[in-house]
Each structure stands twice: as structure tokens, then as C-alpha cells.
């Protein structure tokens, strides 16, 4: 990894201005993992576009994340980017004061908040307005749940010891069914927030969009835990490094300091894969080869089964979203549905085989339970374990 001096200088200014010794310590080491993290690389590539001294807006089109994806793209093939203004790094440092919630979390969250502010400057968004829209959404969700979900109880809605429940599992693993049995737990869903804030873009799943959507989810999570609500951190959360900023499963100081009480709910994959089978699955490139064009004749039975599962899930989602687009069905505002590229779904499946360990992990076994009442009872049992 190569440390960018401009980024180190900026992060040093933040650490000094806001008296953040943990951040100052993390960025001391030029070989620290901080310089290889996507949030830091995105900050660096935005700052490099400014430092280049040319047409900053044009140079920002070349700014990429660690996956070599243009940060500000909407439809790169058609030359569509969400670049409204040039970023102002010094002003962004000042604006950090508005979002000081991140200071009590970890150095990672501080860097991520700075990236979100830079990103909002470029894309023409107001972070406070995005959070306000998200808060209005969650307030409507709470009112709806108290009215419609018998597992919710207004008298016990908040607590002195709120819990953050973090699900870990790929699409179709049972997270939604499990969540419905978690009474009085706010659904901080990135899918819902992303659609609420950025449906005019598709959503497009571009790095800028993901940065802002997840930053809003993190801000809302902190707000509602602070108010005494338990929260369901609703994403697939399969990547250990991705979730470590909150779970601290990687004990590096970059992630240290989260004050939340949390439980991990791990949903077992549909099958068990050997190392050879997992390598076989990872070797299939769905970005290069469409799902329906993959030659499955030479694949092992388990890997073929996973591709079949991804295919069924994708086709079902496409059918349901088509019905919504055609006006034949309504989008549920509290359970947003839109198609995720099969390559991303496959990545989540691959990552879901890394089982977390520890006393705060609740393992939800994979079960095929046709009977609705029995299925509800099964998930209620594990929801109760997660909340205790």
C-alpha cells in the first residue's frame, strides 16, 4: 500500500483540531492498514484530483475506489457522473463539528465521516438533510410497526440498555423472517435508506451513493441507540473487514472504541462447501460472464446448487420489481425491493461461509420449513436468543 501525504496531512489536521488521539496514533505508521482501506483510498483519490491542478471536475471522473470503480459514476459507459461542485477539503474539516457523533466511535468512523462530507460536497447533497429524511422514514416505520406488528409494544419501546443486532448472511438466508420476530427493534436498512434517498438514480450502487447511504445508516443507528431503541443493522454484513468498524472482530486500533452493546446473528449458508468448492465458486466471474451464460456442466453439485439459488432469487426479484414498475404491485416503503447484480449476490454468498465466533454470536441454523406457523416459531426462538 502507498500512503498519500496529502491524506495524512488532512487526517492529522482533523485529529489535532478535534483532539482525537486514537486517530493521530493510527495515522502515524505509514505502513498501517488504514492506508489500504477503501474509505482512505477514496479520500486520497479525491484529494489527488484537487492537487493535480487542472479541471478538478473532470479529474474527479478518474477518482476510483479500491475496486477500480469510479467514485462519482452513475452510468460510466454513457459518461454520466454525479459531479456538481468541486470539493473543499478545509471546509470539510470544519463541517466535521456538525457530525461529532463519529468522534466517540472509532478512527475508521472519523475517516468515513470526512469522506461522506467530501462526497456530499461533490454530489450536491446536504448530509444533514439526508439524515433528516432518514429520520422521518424511521419515525414512520416505528408508528407503522406499533400499529401493525403484534410483537411491538409502546410501553417497552425503549430501554436503558439498547442492543444493536447485526445480521450476517447472504440473500435468501432468512434475515427478513427473523427480523419480523424482533419486537421493538428499529430496522436501519441500507436498502430502504438507499432507495429513499437515491431512487432517482436507480439506485445505481455507485461508490458515492453507497458512501452516503451507509453513512446515513450509521448516523441513524447512533441516533436511535442514543434514544434507547434497539436497532437492526440491516445489511448482509458478510465481509469481516467491512463489519469490523462496528464489531471490532479485527482488533486493529483503527476499529477500536465502539460503545454499543451488540449481538451478531449468523445465518448458516444453504450448503457446506469444502475449500476446493469455495475456490471453484470464487473462480466464476459473473461480471465477465452473465449468470445465464455460465457453463454449469463441469461444476460440482454444491456450486451448481448455489448458482441455481442465485438465479432463482434474481429471477424472483426481477419479477416482483417488474410488477412494481408496471403498476401491478406497490413498493413496500419499509421493505424496499430492487434487483442487486448477481455478481454482488455471489460475493455475499462467498463471504457468508466465514462464520463469526464469540459469546455474542447467535447462530441461526439453515432450515427449510414449509409450514408458515412452524417457520415463524423457529425464527422467533432465535430472535429471542439474540435479544437476551
Amino acid at each position: 500500500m502507498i500512503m498519500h501525504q496529502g491524506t495524512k496531512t488532512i487526517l492529522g489536521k482533523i485529529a489535532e483540531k478535534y483532539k482525537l488521539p486514537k486517530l493521530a496514533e493510527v495515522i502515524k505508521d505509514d505502513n498501517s492498514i488504514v492506508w489500504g482501506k477503501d474509505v482512505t483510498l477514496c479520500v486520497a483519490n479525491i484529494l489527488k484530483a484537487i492537487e493535480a491542478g487542472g479541471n478538478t471536475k473532470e479529474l474527479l471522473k478518474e477518482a476510483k475506489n479500491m475496486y477500480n470503480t469510479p467514485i462519482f459514476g452513475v452510468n460510466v459507459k454513457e459518461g454520466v457522473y454525479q459531479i456538481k461542485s468541486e470539493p473543499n477539503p478545509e471546509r470539510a474539516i470544519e463541517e466535521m463539528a456538525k457530525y461529532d457523533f463519529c468522534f466517540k466511535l472509532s478512527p475508521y468512523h472519523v475517516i468515513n465521516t470526512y469522506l461522506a462530507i467530501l462526497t456530499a460536497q461533490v454530489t450536491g447533497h446536504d448530509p444533514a438533510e439526508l439524515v433528516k429524511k432518514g429520520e422521518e422514514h424511521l419515525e414512520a416505520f416505528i408508528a407503522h410497526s406499533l400499529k401493525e406488528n403484534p410483537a411491538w409494544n409502546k410501553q417497552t419501546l425503549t430501554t436503558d440498555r439498547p442492543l444493536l443486532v447485526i445480521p450476517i448472511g447472504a440473500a435468501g438466508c432468512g434475515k427478513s423472517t427473523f427480523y419480523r420476530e424482533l419486537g421493538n427493534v428499529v430496522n436501519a436498512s441500507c436498502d430502504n435508506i438507499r432507495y429513499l434517498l437515491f431512487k432517482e438514480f436507480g439506485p445505481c450502487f455507485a461508490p458515492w451513493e453507497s458512501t452516503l447511504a451507509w453513512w446515513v445508516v450509521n448516523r441513524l443507528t447512533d441516533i436511535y441507540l442514543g434514544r434507547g431503541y434497539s436497532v437492526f443493522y440491516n445489511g448482509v454484513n458478510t465481509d469481516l473487514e467491512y463489519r469490523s468498524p462496528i464489531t471490532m472482530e479485527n482488533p486493529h486500533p483503527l476499529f477500536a472504541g465502539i460503545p454499543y452493546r451488540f449481538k451478531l446473528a449468523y445465518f448458516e449458508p444453504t450448503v457446506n462447501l469444502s475449500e476446493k468448492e469455495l475456490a471453484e465458486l470464487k473462480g466464476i466471474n459473473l461480471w465477465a460472464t452473465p449468470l445465464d451464460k455460465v457453463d454449469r456442466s463441469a461444476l460440482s453439485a454444491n456450486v451448481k446448487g448455489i448458482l441455481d439459488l442465485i438465479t432463482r432469487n434474481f429471477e424472483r426479484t426481477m419479477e416482483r420489481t417488474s410488477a412494481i414498475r408496471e403498476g401491478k404491485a406497490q413498493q413496500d416503503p419499509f421493505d424496499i425491493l430492487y434487483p442487486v447484480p448477481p455478481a454482488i449476490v455471489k460475493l455475499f454468498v462467498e463471504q457468508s461461509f466465514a462464520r463469526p465466533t464469540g459469546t455474542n454470536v447467535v447462530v441461526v441454523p439453515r432450515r427449510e420449513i414449509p409450514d408458515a406457523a412452524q417457520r415463524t416459531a423457529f425464527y422467533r426462538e432465535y430472535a429471542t436468543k439474540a435479544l437476551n
Side-chain angles (χ1 to χ4, degrees):
M1 66 190 74
I2 300 175
M3 186 274 298
H4 173 238
Q5 185 58 48
T7 303
K8 187 172 187 178
T9 299
I10 283 287
L11 297 182
K13 288 182 178 180
I14 293 171
E16 181 179 5
K17 179 177 177 63
Y18 297 107
K19 298 179 175 55
L20 304 173
K22 290 181 182 177
L23 176 62
E25 187 63 31
V26 162
I27 64 175
K28 267 185 187 178
D29 182 3
D30 289 353
N31 296 311
S32 170
I33 67 170
V34 66
W35 309 116
K37 292 300 169 190
D38 191 41
V39 289
T40 317
L41 289 169
C42 287
V43 169
N45 288 333
I46 292 170
L47 296 180
K48 286 176 183 178
I50 300 170
E51 292 172 2
N55 184 327
T56 301
K57 287 185 178 180
E58 284 300 311
L59 291 167
L60 283 170
K61 294 179 180 180
E62 301 302 317
K64 296 179 180 178
N65 67 359
M66 68 183 297
Y67 306 105
N68 206 36
T69 303
I71 296 171
F72 298 106
V74 175
N75 187 327
V76 176
K77 289 182 178 179
E78 296 183 4
V80 181
Y81 295 83
Q82 185 65 12
I83 300 175
K84 299 294 185 182
S85 304
E86 295 184 10
N88 185 324
E90 296 296 331
R91 192 174 77 236
I93 293 177
E94 298 298 320
E95 289 182 11
M96 293 283 289
K98 300 177 184 177
Y99 310 107
D100 58 356
F101 79 100
C102 66
F103 298 159
K104 73 170 188 259
L105 301 181
S106 74
Y108 180 96
H109 287 84
V110 175
I111 299 170
N112 191 43
T113 295
Y114 185 72
L115 171 61
I117 294 171
L118 283 179
T119 301
Q121 288 180 343
V122 173
T123 59
H125 292 96
D126 177 356
E129 186 61 28
L130 296 179
V131 172
K132 180 183 177 184
K133 288 180 179 178
E135 198 170 346
E136 290 170 351
H137 167 78
L138 289 189
E139 288 301 312
F141 166 77
I142 291 169
H144 173 80
S145 298
L146 286 170
K147 181 179 178 182
E148 302 293 339
N149 189 335
W152 283 61
N153 183 341
K154 189 173 184 178
Q155 304 306 315
T156 57
L157 192 53
T158 59
T159 173
D160 292 336
R161 300 186 72 239
L163 183 69
L164 180 60
V165 181
I166 305 173
I168 302 169
C173 69
K175 292 192 299 294
S176 295
T177 309
F178 171 85
Y179 172 72
R180 284 194 290 271
E181 301 308 316
L182 290 173
N184 287 0
V185 179
V186 174
N187 184 20
S189 163
C190 190
D191 281 351
N192 290 354
I193 294 299
R194 185 193 296 268
Y195 186 84
L196 171 74
L197 301 178
F198 305 119
K199 59 184 175 183
E200 65 185 286
F201 299 98
C204 65
F205 289 91
W208 68 267
E209 184 186 270
S210 295
T211 292
L212 293 176
W214 273 111
W215 181 82
V216 170
V217 169
N218 288 335
R219 180 69 184 110
L220 292 171
T221 294
D222 191 71
I223 287 172
Y224 280 86
L225 286 171
R227 293 174 181 171
Y229 292 90
S230 290
V231 173
F232 191 61
Y233 196 72
N234 196 345
V236 293
N237 303 315
T238 50
D239 184 355
L240 182 146
E241 284 300 304
Y242 164 81
R243 64 180 186 260
S244 279
I246 287 184
T247 66
M248 294 176 286
E249 289 169 88
N250 179 340
H252 191 279
L254 175 64
F255 304 128
I258 289 294
Y260 306 147
R261 191 171 73 94
F262 63 86
K263 285 276 188 74
L264 309 183
Y266 174 67
F267 294 80
E268 289 187 333
T270 53
V271 296
N272 291 318
L273 294 188
S274 66
E275 289 187 13
K276 182 179 179 181
E277 289 170 328
L278 185 56
E280 180 183 336
L281 178 62
K282 290 181 177 180
I284 301 169
N285 186 346
L286 293 185
W287 292 114
T289 306
L291 185 59
D292 60 349
K293 301 297 183 184
V294 175
D295 181 6
R296 306 187 188 192
S297 61
L299 298 177
S300 61
N302 280 340
V303 172
K304 182 178 180 296
I306 287 176
L307 289 187
D308 289 343
L309 177 66
I310 293 172
T311 300
R312 288 196 300 273
N313 283 344
F314 185 71
E315 289 175 346
R316 186 166 61 246
T317 302
M318 289 301 293
E319 289 174 2
R320 292 169 65 189
T321 52
S322 294
I324 292 170
R325 285 195 305 272
E326 294 167 5
K328 299 175 182 176
Q330 293 292 320
Q331 180 74 271
D332 183 343
F334 305 120
D335 187 15
I336 296 297
L337 182 71
Y338 49 79
V340 177
I344 293 179
V345 176
K346 186 178 84 72
L347 175 63
F348 293 154
V349 172
E350 293 167 7
Q351 295 170 344
S352 70
F353 288 95
R355 178 171 175 160
T357 58
T359 57
N360 64 343
V361 177
V362 174
V363 177
V364 183
R366 180 68 183 184
R367 296 283 188 273
E368 293 294 337
I369 307 174
D371 182 79
Q374 292 178 2
R375 186 167 59 252
T376 296
F378 171 81
Y379 282 105
R380 184 178 299 132
E381 175 188 351
Y382 287 94
T384 301
K385 288 182 180 180
L387 292 175
N388 293 331

